Amino acid sequence: MFNIILFGPPGSGKGTQSEKLIAAYGLIHLSTGDLLRSEIAKQTSLGIEAKIIMDKGQLVPDAVVVGMISSALDANPQAGGFLFDGFPRTVAQSEALDTLLSLKNTEIGVVLALDVSEEELVKRLLNRGLTSGRSDDNTESVVRARITEYHAKTSVVARYYGQFNKVVHVKGEGSVAEIFTLLCSEIDKRLS
Ligand code: AP5
Ligand code: MG
């Protein structure tokens, strides 16, 4: 089993590259953002609570997302590997993920970190907000709040996995195809 964390700030291309990577490597895509938006669409109590926080650009509580990931891991016992997108986002989530994976006798193989400048992130997200219907892409203040939250709570996740030599930085600017090639070459190095 080979598990990957696709890491990076909001708008760095995690979702875009995840779609291509799961197809190429037969991985199960676990995006906590997508799982939360599906709860919002179904108007569950979890979704209603989470939307209030997401609309401010803040992180939902660790216990909520760790619970969702734990259920998703249990629901896919035959998986050849998982691609985590937008999770873990705090050191507490990272530690919880490592524990959940070790209970299944597996671990994170690599953390691929997409590097994109802040101006480019804001440009991409506001542009997507014109058509996506995502309420957290609509206003520049919320987009910037998400980036601030990333610097305050999430960037330390790279340092956490760095202590185990698992982090590789990849240039996240350029064409989608170019970035995909760079990501594949890092994965292939570790699979061979
Ligand atoms: P989440 O859904 O994870 O959103 P995010 O991290 O803000 O990131 P995005 O999905 O906006 O960006 P992305 O990196 O996936 O980029 P994408 O490929 O879409 O989280 C949303 C919220 O949920 C959080 O704010 C939080 O409240 C909550 N949440 C989620 N997970 C959580 C967790 N673990 N803990 C606590 N709270 C959590 O690309 C962005 C745009 O750029 C697209 O329009 C795309 O077409 C375009 N694009 C992509 N690649 C390129 C390229 N190479 N060149 C030009 N444009 C590109
Ligand atoms: Mg995404």
Side-chain angles (χ1 to χ4, degrees), residues 11 13-16 31 33-34 37 85-86 128 134:
K14 302 182 297 291
T16 303
S31 157
D34 288 350
R37 282 183 289 278
D85 159 8
R128 185 176 63 186
R134 263 183 69 167

mmCIF file of all heavy atoms in Angstrom, residues 11 13-16 31 33-34 37 85-86 128 134, ligand 2:
data_model
loop_
_atom_site.group_PDB
_atom_site.id
_atom_site.type_symbol
_atom_site.label_atom_id
_atom_site.label_comp_id
_atom_site.label_asym_id
_atom_site.label_seq_id
_atom_site.Cartn_x
_atom_site.Cartn_y
_atom_site.Cartn_z
ATOM 1 N N GLY A 11 -5.918 26.629 -3.132
ATOM 2 C CA GLY A 11 -5.721 27.075 -4.513
ATOM 3 C C GLY A 11 -4.428 26.602 -5.142
ATOM 4 O O GLY A 11 -4.117 26.941 -6.296
ATOM 5 N N GLY A 13 -3.727 23.705 -6.196
ATOM 6 C CA GLY A 13 -3.931 22.697 -7.238
ATOM 7 C C GLY A 13 -4.080 21.284 -6.711
ATOM 8 O O GLY A 13 -3.988 20.315 -7.478
ATOM 9 N N LYS A 14 -4.353 21.150 -5.417
ATOM 10 C CA LYS A 14 -4.460 19.804 -4.827
ATOM 11 C C LYS A 14 -5.586 19.002 -5.480
ATOM 12 O O LYS A 14 -5.398 17.847 -5.861
ATOM 13 C CB LYS A 14 -4.713 19.898 -3.307
ATOM 14 C CG LYS A 14 -3.625 20.665 -2.550
ATOM 15 C CD LYS A 14 -3.872 20.695 -1.038
ATOM 16 C CE LYS A 14 -5.148 21.405 -0.610
ATOM 17 N NZ LYS A 14 -5.147 22.870 -0.817
ATOM 18 N N GLY A 15 -6.764 19.614 -5.595
ATOM 19 C CA GLY A 15 -7.907 18.896 -6.176
ATOM 20 C C GLY A 15 -7.672 18.550 -7.640
ATOM 21 O O GLY A 15 -7.954 17.427 -8.088
ATOM 22 N N THR A 16 -7.135 19.509 -8.385
ATOM 23 C CA THR A 16 -6.881 19.323 -9.822
ATOM 24 C C THR A 16 -5.912 18.160 -10.050
ATOM 25 O O THR A 16 -6.161 17.275 -10.879
ATOM 26 C CB THR A 16 -6.267 20.626 -10.399
ATOM 27 O OG1 THR A 16 -7.168 21.702 -10.130
ATOM 28 C CG2 THR A 16 -5.986 20.507 -11.887
ATOM 29 N N SER A 31 -10.583 13.668 0.198
ATOM 30 C CA SER A 31 -10.520 15.121 0.357
ATOM 31 C C SER A 31 -11.497 15.524 1.452
ATOM 32 O O SER A 31 -12.712 15.353 1.295
ATOM 33 C CB SER A 31 -10.897 15.804 -0.965
ATOM 34 O OG SER A 31 -11.355 17.129 -0.724
ATOM 35 N N GLY A 33 -12.237 18.504 2.333
ATOM 36 C CA GLY A 33 -13.068 19.596 1.814
ATOM 37 C C GLY A 33 -14.261 19.043 1.046
ATOM 38 O O GLY A 33 -15.407 19.472 1.248
ATOM 39 N N ASP A 34 -14.020 18.051 0.171
ATOM 40 C CA ASP A 34 -15.124 17.445 -0.601
ATOM 41 C C ASP A 34 -16.103 16.726 0.334
ATOM 42 O O ASP A 34 -17.319 16.799 0.148
ATOM 43 C CB ASP A 34 -14.588 16.430 -1.625
ATOM 44 C CG ASP A 34 -13.864 17.102 -2.792
ATOM 45 O OD1 ASP A 34 -13.942 18.344 -2.917
ATOM 46 O OD2 ASP A 34 -13.210 16.373 -3.573
ATOM 47 N N ARG A 37 -18.184 19.368 1.989
ATOM 48 C CA ARG A 37 -19.169 19.960 1.064
ATOM 49 C C ARG A 37 -20.307 18.979 0.780
ATOM 50 O O ARG A 37 -21.440 19.386 0.560
ATOM 51 C CB ARG A 37 -18.478 20.436 -0.227
ATOM 52 C CG ARG A 37 -17.751 21.782 -0.036
ATOM 53 C CD ARG A 37 -17.130 22.309 -1.324
ATOM 54 N NE ARG A 37 -15.978 21.534 -1.748
ATOM 55 C CZ ARG A 37 -14.737 21.693 -1.267
ATOM 56 N NH1 ARG A 37 -14.471 22.616 -0.351
ATOM 57 N NH2 ARG A 37 -13.739 20.944 -1.699
ATOM 58 N N ASP A 85 -6.007 14.706 0.419
ATOM 59 C CA ASP A 85 -6.035 16.047 -0.195
ATOM 60 C C ASP A 85 -6.724 16.998 0.784
ATOM 61 O O ASP A 85 -7.891 16.802 1.117
ATOM 62 C CB ASP A 85 -6.800 15.906 -1.534
ATOM 63 C CG ASP A 85 -7.385 17.205 -2.085
ATOM 64 O OD1 ASP A 85 -7.108 18.282 -1.541
ATOM 65 O OD2 ASP A 85 -8.126 17.104 -3.083
ATOM 66 N N GLY A 86 -5.971 17.974 1.268
ATOM 67 C CA GLY A 86 -6.562 18.919 2.231
ATOM 68 C C GLY A 86 -6.618 18.357 3.642
ATOM 69 O O GLY A 86 -7.275 18.918 4.517
ATOM 70 N N ARG A 128 -12.011 31.126 -9.723
ATOM 71 C CA ARG A 128 -12.894 29.978 -9.584
ATOM 72 C C ARG A 128 -14.223 30.388 -8.950
ATOM 73 O O ARG A 128 -15.274 29.856 -9.297
ATOM 74 C CB ARG A 128 -12.232 28.884 -8.734
ATOM 75 C CG ARG A 128 -13.099 27.625 -8.673
ATOM 76 C CD ARG A 128 -12.433 26.506 -7.918
ATOM 77 N NE ARG A 128 -12.214 26.874 -6.536
ATOM 78 C CZ ARG A 128 -11.551 26.130 -5.666
ATOM 79 N NH1 ARG A 128 -11.019 24.986 -6.052
ATOM 80 N NH2 ARG A 128 -11.391 26.526 -4.428
ATOM 81 N N ARG A 134 -18.768 27.899 -4.826
ATOM 82 C CA ARG A 134 -18.200 27.706 -3.484
ATOM 83 C C ARG A 134 -18.230 29.038 -2.753
ATOM 84 O O ARG A 134 -17.565 29.995 -3.169
ATOM 85 C CB ARG A 134 -16.761 27.180 -3.590
ATOM 86 C CG ARG A 134 -16.674 25.675 -3.441
ATOM 87 C CD ARG A 134 -15.259 25.170 -3.485
ATOM 88 N NE ARG A 134 -14.454 25.542 -2.333
ATOM 89 C CZ ARG A 134 -13.292 25.014 -2.053
ATOM 90 N NH1 ARG A 134 -12.784 24.078 -2.855
ATOM 91 N NH2 ARG A 134 -12.609 25.409 -0.999
HETATM 92 MG MG MG B 2 -9.367 21.286 -3.174
#
